[in-house]
Amino acid sequence: MGIQRKSLPTSILCISVLIVIYGLVAVAPEPEPEPEPPSNGGKVSKTITVGKSGHVDFSTIQSAINSIPVNNRAWVRVQVKNGVYGEKVQIPIEKPFIVLEGESMKDTIIAYGDYGLHKNATFSVFADNVVARRISFYNTYNHPLNNGVNKNTIHEAAAAMVMGNRISFYECGFYGLQDTLWDVQGLHYYKSCFIEGSADFIFGLARSIFEKCVISVIDDGYITAQGRDSFEDRSAFVFKECSVIGTGKTYLGRPWRCHSTVLFYNSSFSNAVVPQGWDIWNCHGHERDITYVEHGCHGPGANTSKRVNWVKKLNNKMVSRMSSLSFINKRGWIEKQP
């Protein structure tokens, strides 16, 4: 906690218009560029298998990804059998249109222990147009498998770094302690995922919707450190019908940059959420520029009577626009994925 991070380059996609409603600033769902369509209309053209034994094409996930042609225009499925794969996995920028698919979130695991952010995440996506399903990503440096313990000093140790555009995750797990999920930039969709950590464990400046996800807090800290850094920046995190659970005490977020924007919509909060709800961190004096919103949330941690006095209230129209899938999906890229 309290780490001073270096600024990230703002994506070209993060340029647009802000809407001011009742004196409160929020991000509006402006059009994004058309996704470049694959040549086969979104259908999977080839499946590559990965497993620890049996009749498979590859024994490691990275070798399967490496086998995919550069700048491929047809969706390729990398189908991974259950097992623990002790490797770093990267999908480079020149390998788009990949579906990484495990057998089950619980038993298909990519695990590696390293710290520091740049190129040290267990799973990194630099390419556009990638789908992941039923697979879990662990950074074991501070979060060993099977609830083990170690004596490593706590560091920034990402389980996943997501830099590409039009990336979606379904029934995926992200496990770490500090900085678990680096949601760097681009349009991203997370559905029915499990995300675990303590300090700033969902952070970055992507424009993302997290739908029906479980957010698990395993030590005292902060869930989000969203990095929107100007009025022109289009980034925001939206948590829709999610559940916050855990054993630690947590703030819903603190601003990595001083226009940070986070919405929790129709979500369930356990008593892991502290009464204040949010922390100002290093943005004292910029409370009016920060957009932190809770709408329709419930549970013992959802009582807002003791929240910080700079939490925003948006009208129903704006909340509906931010919580709609069109906030990230105006051109329908999600439906076009296999």
Side-chain angles (χ1 to χ4, degrees), residues 75-257:
W75 286 100
V76 177
R77 177 185 288 114
V78 178
Q79 195 162 25
V80 185
K81 290 189 174 183
N82 283 341
V84 177
Y85 297 83
E87 54 178 315
K88 277 186 188 177
V89 175
Q90 294 188 2
I91 300 180
I93 194 169
E94 67 273 13
K95 299 286 181 88
F97 300 113
I98 290 176
V99 181
L100 181 64
E101 189 170 279
E103 286 190 271
S104 71
M105 180 174 69
K106 179 182 177 183
D107 295 316
T108 307
I109 296 170
I110 304 174
Y112 201 87
D114 202 353
Y115 68 91
L117 292 180
H118 297 279
K119 298 185 179 181
N120 291 311
T122 300
F123 178 63
S124 301
V125 183
F126 298 94
D128 296 340
N129 302 302
V130 173
V131 180
R133 292 191 179 94
R134 298 187 296 275
I135 194 163
S136 286
F137 312 99
Y138 276 79
N139 192 315
T140 59
Y141 186 81
N142 293 126
H143 193 314
L145 289 170
N146 302 317
N147 298 315
V149 295
N150 61 35
K151 296 182 180 180
N152 291 338
T153 302
I154 294 175
H155 282 288
E156 301 162 313
M161 179 176 71
V162 187
M163 286 195 69
N165 196 27
R166 300 180 295 274
I167 312 296
S168 58
F169 293 86
Y170 301 89
E171 297 179 49
C172 289
F174 303 86
Y175 297 83
L177 188 66
Q178 180 168 305
D179 298 348
T180 303
L181 174 56
W182 190 5
D183 201 39
V184 185
Q185 62 185 20
L187 302 173
H188 304 155
Y189 182 48
Y190 301 82
K191 186 171 183 181
S192 302
C193 292
F194 185 93
I195 309 167
E196 186 164 271
S198 67
D200 307 337
F201 63 98
I202 303 172
F203 74 105
L205 43 75
R207 184 177 176 100
S208 299
I209 288 181
F210 300 80
E211 184 172 3
K212 299 184 186 299
C213 294
V214 175
I215 314 300
S216 175
V217 181
I218 56 173
D219 203 351
D220 296 352
Y222 308 83
I223 294 172
T224 64
Q226 204 279 330
R228 181 172 174 238
D229 60 4
S230 71
F231 289 130
E232 292 77 26
D233 188 339
R234 296 178 59 228
S235 69
F237 292 166
V238 176
F239 296 86
K240 180 178 180 180
E241 299 176 6
C242 293
S243 298
V244 176
I245 64 172
T247 56
K249 291 296 184 180
T250 189
Y251 291 82
L252 296 171
R254 58 180 179 174
W256 181 8
R257 297 291 182 266

